[in-house]
Amino acid sequence: MRIEHIAIWSPDIERLKQFYIAYFGAISTDLYKNKKTGFTSYFLTFKEGARLEIMNKEEILPIKQLDKEQMGYCHLAMSVGKESEVIRLTNSLREDGYRIIGEPRTTGDGYFESVVADPDGNRIELTC
């Protein structure tokens, strides 16, 4: 058994799609649109086969406090291969104006990682 995909709601799936394509090499499906329900989505596929569905529907409620952690979805961990790539990508995202939540470091459980926010504020752990 394996997880088939992870799905997240977004107020702007075009912006989010471009972020994951630009920084993580995602390949996107064409836009799916259900005119009856107002639901739209893209499936993004990454090099190793993992998939992320980004979705929009007008009546979905926004996150209450973007800067506070909440119950439910916590983060997406993206393995970028090596420590130098964690550092490079973290710095690239910082230079491009994205929020860095945690600087590159070795964690207590042995991961070398940083934590960044995507355009919607979703946390991404960059690991190796």
Side-chain angles (χ1 to χ4, degrees):
M1 189 175 306
R2 70 179 176 88
I3 295 174
E4 205 297 312
H5 70 273
I6 302 294
I8 56 177
W9 293 108
S10 174
D12 187 342
I13 62 175
E14 296 297 332
R15 175 185 68 183
L16 203 57
K17 176 184 80 166
Q18 290 308 318
F19 173 83
Y20 284 100
I21 289 171
Y23 293 100
F24 299 103
I27 305 294
S28 179
T29 60
D30 291 336
L31 178 67
Y32 169 76
K33 191 176 217 175
N34 184 319
K35 293 179 183 179
K36 184 177 179 181
T37 64
F39 174 83
T40 57
S41 73
Y42 288 105
F43 274 95
L44 306 178
T45 302
F46 299 90
K47 183 179 179 184
E48 299 297 323
R51 295 191 330 149
L52 177 65
E53 182 180 16
I54 53 175
M55 311 173 303
N56 180 272
K57 194 173 182 182
E58 283 187 27
E59 64 265 14
I60 300 302
L61 300 173
I63 293 174
K64 292 180 183 172
Q65 293 183 318
L66 195 57
D67 290 337
K68 303 260 184 195
E69 291 193 74
Q70 310 172 59
M71 287 297 193
Y73 172 83
C74 180
H75 66 264
L76 177 64
M78 301 291 284
S79 178
V80 297
K82 53 189 176 183
E83 289 185 14
S84 60
E85 184 61 11
V86 170
I87 294 166
R88 186 202 68 75
L89 188 51
T90 302
N91 288 332
S92 178
L93 287 159
R94 181 192 335 273
E95 290 167 9
D96 291 345
Y98 293 99
R99 187 165 53 106
I100 307 305
I101 298 168
E103 294 294 334
R105 70 197 183 288
T106 300
T107 64
D109 55 359
Y111 281 95
F112 187 81
E113 68 178 37
S114 68
V115 182
V116 301
D118 75 11
D120 291 346
N122 297 304
R123 292 169 184 254
I124 304 169
E125 283 183 358
L126 302 177
T127 68
C128 58

